[in-house]
Amino acid sequence: LYHKLGMYDKASANYYLNNELMEKFGKEKKLMDAAQLSFKYEKHRDSLQTAKEKEIAELENLREQEKTDNKLKQQKIIIAVSLAGVVFVIVFLFVLIKANRNKEKANKEINYQKSLLTEKNKEITDSITYAKHIQHSLLPLPDYIDILLPHHFLLYLPKDIVSGDFYWVKQINVNEVFVAVADCTGHGVPGAMMSALSIQNLNELAGQAKSPAKLLSLLNN
């Protein structure tokens, strides 16, 4: 305004005054900005510190919580394993007791069957032994053989008490004696039955035959 009015002295003075004020204001503004920046920095640093401390605290809490959770998990695992072990032991004992009872029951049944088998075996053995006496009664007496055949030997060893093997001697006349050493079809009781039939038939047929061939032919018929 002073410059437009031609008042150059005042215009110049105000111009320099304005520059000083602007420079001063600029310095003050810079100081204020610096103070604000410092304040903001301090506040930000405090915020960061607080946030860091809060983060550290939260991390510590998380670690403690994790430790607590791990302990709880371990305790749960230990409890679960212990319960599983107890259940396994109970089941194992149950199975063992049941198996033992079944074994005792089976042993009783086996002993019962064994006693029955022993009794039946004794009955059968007694019957076969009695059959042996009958079979031996059909065989020629040793004294009779000694008279007819002074020089002889006899080996008779039944395999199963009674035998399908038999020997037979029959005098036909003063000069002739039939002698048979036979092995019947079958073993044990069936063979013994065949031998008894054969001895009986030979005794009946001996008087009708004049030769061993004829006697065997008659026996076969």
Side-chain angles (χ1 to χ4, degrees), residues 4-58:
K4 288 182 179 182
L5 292 175
M7 301 171 66
Y8 299 113
D9 293 337
K10 287 186 178 183
S12 178
N14 279 286
Y15 174 75
Y16 286 109
L17 178 61
N18 180 66
N19 287 338
E20 289 179 358
L21 290 174
M22 289 297 294
E23 185 178 356
K24 182 178 179 181
F25 178 74
K27 289 181 179 179
E28 289 178 355
K29 189 173 184 305
K30 288 180 179 179
L31 289 174
M32 288 180 65
D33 291 341
Q36 287 180 355
L37 288 173
S38 177
F39 176 75
K40 288 181 179 180
Y41 171 75
E42 292 293 333
K43 186 176 181 181
H44 182 64
R45 187 180 66 180
D46 293 341
S47 298
L48 289 175
Q49 183 68 26
T50 303
K52 188 175 181 180
E53 290 177 355
K54 185 177 180 182
E55 184 179 0
I56 292 172
E58 288 179 352

Side-chain angles (χ1 to χ4, degrees), residues 31-208:
L31 289 174
M32 288 180 65
D33 291 341
Q36 287 180 355
L37 288 173
S38 177
F39 176 75
K40 288 181 179 180
Y41 171 75
E42 292 293 333
K43 186 176 181 181
H44 182 64
R45 187 180 66 180
D46 293 341
S47 298
L48 289 175
Q49 183 68 26
T50 303
K52 188 175 181 180
E53 290 177 355
K54 185 177 180 182
E55 184 179 0
I56 292 172
E58 288 179 352
L59 288 174
E60 290 293 331
N61 290 332
L62 288 174
R63 288 177 183 174
E64 292 296 328
Q65 185 65 35
E66 188 176 356
K67 289 181 180 179
T68 303
D69 293 340
N70 289 334
K71 287 182 179 179
L72 289 175
K73 288 180 180 178
Q74 290 178 356
Q75 290 177 355
K76 288 180 180 179
I77 291 172
I78 292 172
I79 292 172
V81 172
S82 300
L83 289 175
V86 171
V87 171
F88 175 78
V89 170
I90 292 173
V91 172
F92 179 75
L93 289 175
F94 176 78
V95 172
L96 189 64
I97 292 171
K98 187 176 181 180
N100 188 50
R101 288 178 179 176
N102 291 336
K103 185 178 179 181
E104 290 178 354
K105 186 177 179 181
N107 286 336
K108 287 181 180 179
E109 182 66 21
I110 290 172
N111 290 331
Y112 174 71
Q113 295 294 335
K114 184 179 179 182
S115 62
L116 288 179
L117 186 62
T118 302
E119 184 178 353
K120 293 295 182 183
N121 187 57
K122 184 177 183 301
E123 292 177 0
I124 293 172
T125 303
D126 291 342
S127 297
I128 295 175
T129 302
Y130 188 74
K132 171 188 174 183
H133 297 311
I134 295 174
Q135 186 180 37
H136 276 237
S137 69
L138 297 175
L139 296 173
L141 295 174
D143 293 340
Y144 180 69
I145 301 175
D146 288 337
I147 294 171
L148 297 178
L149 302 171
H151 303 291
H152 80 279
F153 73 92
L154 175 64
L155 179 64
Y156 182 65
L157 300 173
K159 177 177 178 290
D160 299 313
I161 304 178
V162 292
S163 176
D165 301 333
F166 70 92
Y167 54 92
W168 175 78
V169 178
K170 185 73 172 179
Q171 186 176 15
I172 303 303
N173 52 52
V174 177
N175 297 318
E176 291 182 325
V177 177
F178 276 140
V179 177
V181 177
D183 180 5
C184 293
T185 300
H187 300 279
V189 174
M193 292 176 65
M194 293 295 293
S195 69
L197 290 172
S198 298
I199 293 171
Q200 183 66 25
N201 288 328
L202 287 172
N203 286 329
E204 292 177 359
L205 298 170
Q208 303 177 29

